[in-house]
Amino acid sequence: MSDIVLTEVTKVFPNGVRAVDGVDLEINDGEFVVLVGPSGCGKSTLLRMIAGLEDITEGVVHIGGTDVTDMAPQQRDIAMVFQNYALYPHMTVKENLAYGLKLRKMPRAEWKRRVGEVAKTLGLEELLDRKPAALSGGQRQRVAMGRAIVREPKAFLMDEPLSNLDAKLRVSMRAELAKLHERLGVTTIYVTHDQVEAMTLGQRVAVLRDGILQQVDTPQNLFRHPANLFVAAFIGSPSMNLVDATIDGGRVSFGGFSIPLPEPLARRHGPVILGIRPTDFEHGEAASGDVPRIRVTPDVVEDLGSETHVIFTVDAPPVSAEAVRAATETQSDDEVALFAADKAVFTAVLDARRPVQANAELELALDPSRFHVFDPATGLVFEA
């Protein structure tokens, strides 16, 4: 039994910064949970508190039913994998894998068995006599993971373990991690700022902002049913299109467009923030006849082979909510400067088999049953 339960876990640093604020989270035995959020949201601090590397200001941490809040890291029976590998450069791969087991005075036959099994599992058998300097980045990361696995802990805690790898290697390592978890079934908490990693690896994903847990759900539900503006803007690539809109008479209006809404959203009245996923647009010529349509003029058309990204502006101001700015803070000023500051920029992801031209009028179909509608005052979603 290696479930992990956090109850009202809080971290306040001596300078008064509240890095983690009252987090309640239950991670089931054998579950792979990803903590994701922008830089400085508290995800690594939370992981370090679970590991015992950071003192907890308030709250309780249970691992496998045991209160470990005040236990030293070595007493918690967990293993951490860091982004910088943390291998001993003067030791061979075999010695790196066995080092922790030898410290624990494990019998030679047992540590040799474990090292052999882990080396086989991770494809390290041919590398056992090499030192870290003779390994590639991906091989070093496999050794770092092997050193955690060989201990057979109750849980793995991983802090951005793939961030030092190049893009192609990250993709293959993600696949290896997923297979590894399926094989071992060990409870795993994985920290990343990369939402693609979060969505592809996590059985559930916990989204953090300013130390506060925003939503915990499966990747599919986070994408399809975000609880608030921050999650809506943060999850998804390209990110959700957001615009100030008004609901009146069963229709939502924004930027000169007016689209009928399904019940019960049609019964609402007044200002809202409307969200539309880029993938929820369809080329007008391909859509069924009863789906509402809008006409736009693409500013930029990006043909990616399998799909086309159509970028256009809407004659309505961009959403200025703080949650949206926090979720999209990585967007550079140069990117924003390409478009008028007083207009919302939309992206539609379309089938590339239908050609689209920049600066030529385009008809887009959009299904209002897939709209996301948020309260401008609270940022919370209005349930359809």
Side-chain angles (χ1 to χ4, degrees):
M1 185 72 172
S2 57
D3 59 325
I4 299 175
V5 180
L6 313 182
T7 306
E8 289 291 315
V9 171
T10 298
K11 176 65 179 182
V12 182
F13 286 108
N15 62 1
V17 172
R18 188 172 284 264
V20 176
D21 193 354
V23 169
D24 289 316
L25 180 62
E26 292 188 20
I27 296 156
N28 299 320
D29 183 25
E31 190 176 21
F32 196 123
V33 169
V34 178
L35 305 180
V36 70
S39 298
C41 71
K43 53 190 183 294
S44 288
T45 302
L46 184 59
L47 193 77
R48 289 173 63 82
M49 287 195 288
I50 297 169
L53 300 175
E54 196 75 64
D55 291 336
I56 296 173
T57 307
E58 297 173 18
V60 180
V61 175
H62 285 87
I63 298 177
T66 301
D67 184 345
V68 301
T69 309
D70 298 318
M71 282 187 184
Q74 60 269 28
Q75 296 176 308
R76 300 190 182 200
D77 196 14
I78 51 89
M80 281 199 76
V81 181
F82 300 93
Q83 67 185 74
N84 61 358
Y85 317 135
L87 303 179
Y88 296 107
H90 63 288
M91 293 184 183
T92 64
V93 168
K94 182 178 180 179
E95 290 168 337
N96 265 285
L97 292 175
Y99 182 70
L101 305 183
K102 290 179 180 179
L103 279 183
R104 292 160 63 184
K105 308 292 190 208
M106 183 172 287
R108 178 183 176 85
E110 175 63 11
W111 70 250
K112 286 189 73 174
R113 180 192 67 79
R114 289 197 189 185
V115 168
E117 287 182 357
V118 167
K120 185 176 181 181
T121 297
L122 295 175
L124 298 172
E125 291 171 298
E126 303 298 318
L127 308 174
L128 286 175
D129 295 324
R130 294 189 193 180
K131 291 184 177 179
L135 304 178
S136 68
Q139 290 168 339
R140 290 180 198 177
Q141 192 54 275
R142 285 212 300 274
V143 176
M145 290 177 185
R147 201 168 58 179
I149 294 166
V150 78
R151 291 178 48 194
E152 299 181 2
K154 285 183 179 178
F156 296 134
L157 306 182
M158 300 188 179
D159 193 1
E160 308 223 29
L162 308 185
S163 62
N164 286 342
L165 305 179
D166 62 53
K168 187 175 181 181
L169 194 52
R170 277 204 304 271
V171 172
S172 62
M173 286 298 292
R174 281 205 309 265
E176 287 188 31
L177 262 176
K179 287 192 295 183
L180 192 62
H181 179 262
E182 187 177 345
R183 189 180 310 155
L184 299 176
V186 178
T187 308
T188 302
I189 305 178
Y190 186 104
V191 161
T192 182
H193 67 277
D194 184 336
Q195 60 156 298
V196 175
E197 270 183 27
M199 300 292 276
T200 53
L201 281 173
Q203 293 172 320
R204 285 191 302 151
V205 177
V207 183
L208 284 155
R209 177 197 173 199
D210 296 336
I212 298 172
L213 200 56
Q214 302 291 305
Q215 187 174 355
V216 185
D217 215 325
T218 64
Q220 295 81 7
N221 279 340
L222 285 178
F223 184 81
R224 295 171 186 159
H225 306 290
N228 57 42
L229 269 176
F230 178 82
V231 176
F234 188 79
I235 296 294
S237 182
S239 59
M240 183 183 287
N241 302 299
L242 295 164
V243 67
D244 288 320
T246 302
I247 297 178
D248 188 31
R251 304 177 72 89
V252 62
S253 302
F254 64 99
F257 304 118
S258 179
I259 299 170
L261 288 172
E263 295 288 347
L265 288 177
R267 293 200 295 269
R268 294 198 171 274
H269 180 83
V272 297
I273 294 175
L274 175 67
I276 306 172
R277 289 283 182 203
T279 49
D280 287 340
F281 286 99
E282 193 173 3
H283 200 295
E285 294 177 4
S288 61
D290 59 343
V291 178
R293 287 157 165 76
I294 62 173
R295 290 189 172 276
V296 303
T297 302
D299 295 287
V300 178
V301 176
E302 298 176 335
D303 189 344
L304 304 183
S306 61
E307 61 188 27
T308 299
H309 290 193
V310 179
I311 302 169
F312 58 95
T313 55
V314 172
D315 192 15
V319 173
S320 60
E322 183 185 350
V324 176
R325 291 198 300 272
T328 57
E329 64 182 3
T330 55
Q331 189 177 39
S332 72
D333 292 337
D334 291 340
E335 288 176 305
V336 176
L338 293 173
F339 300 93
D342 61 344
K343 293 189 176 183
V345 179
F346 271 38
T347 299
V349 175
L350 306 178
D351 189 330
R353 288 173 294 186
R354 292 183 181 273
V356 176
Q357 291 184 331
N359 302 313
E361 191 176 70
L362 172 68
E363 185 179 68
L364 293 175
L366 59 174
D367 183 352
S369 68
R370 298 182 179 179
F371 285 179
H372 304 266
V373 179
F374 303 92
D375 184 337
T378 66
L380 297 178
V381 70
F382 287 130
E383 296 293 344

